């Protein structure tokens, strides 16, 4: 199966990025230790050991009232 993926990141402020993909927009805040990405369905927290390729991520969905 072949698929096409579109994704682009724009820096809007230091350590703040706007992510654009065919599924929508998200906003990321990045530091040396953690990245927080706010999307339309939830928040993703990612941390890792730089230069090793090892990372850990957690996704929290927004609660619907």
């Amino acid at each position: 199966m072949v698929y096409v993926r579109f994704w682009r990141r724009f820096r809007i402020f230091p350590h703040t990025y706007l992510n654009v993909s065919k599924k929508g927009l998200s906003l990321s805040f990045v530091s040396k230790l953690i990245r927080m990405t706010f999307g339309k369905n939830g928040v993703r927290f990612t941390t890792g050991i730089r230069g090793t390729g090892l990372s850990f991520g957690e996704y929290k969905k927004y609660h619907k009232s």
Side-chain angles (χ1 to χ4, degrees):
M1 175 183 235
V2 177
Y3 63 93
V4 176
R5 180 179 174 199
F6 170 75
W7 178 83
R8 182 77 171 114
R9 178 174 27 194
F10 301 97
R11 189 171 98 184
I12 54 177
F13 297 109
H15 309 291
T16 306
Y17 296 90
L18 177 66
N19 306 302
V20 180
S21 74
K22 64 182 179 182
K23 290 188 176 185
L25 302 174
S26 63
L27 190 64
S28 294
F29 299 98
V30 181
S31 73
K32 287 185 177 182
L33 298 177
I34 194 166
R35 173 188 304 248
M36 294 186 324
T37 303
F38 297 87
K40 66 179 180 179
N41 295 320
V43 180
R44 179 174 301 280
F45 300 94
T46 309
T47 188
I49 302 171
R50 296 181 126 202
T52 65
L54 296 174
S55 66
F56 172 78
E58 186 174 359
Y59 185 73
K60 300 279 186 170
K61 284 192 173 189
Y62 297 132
H63 294 287
K64 294 192 178 192
S65 306

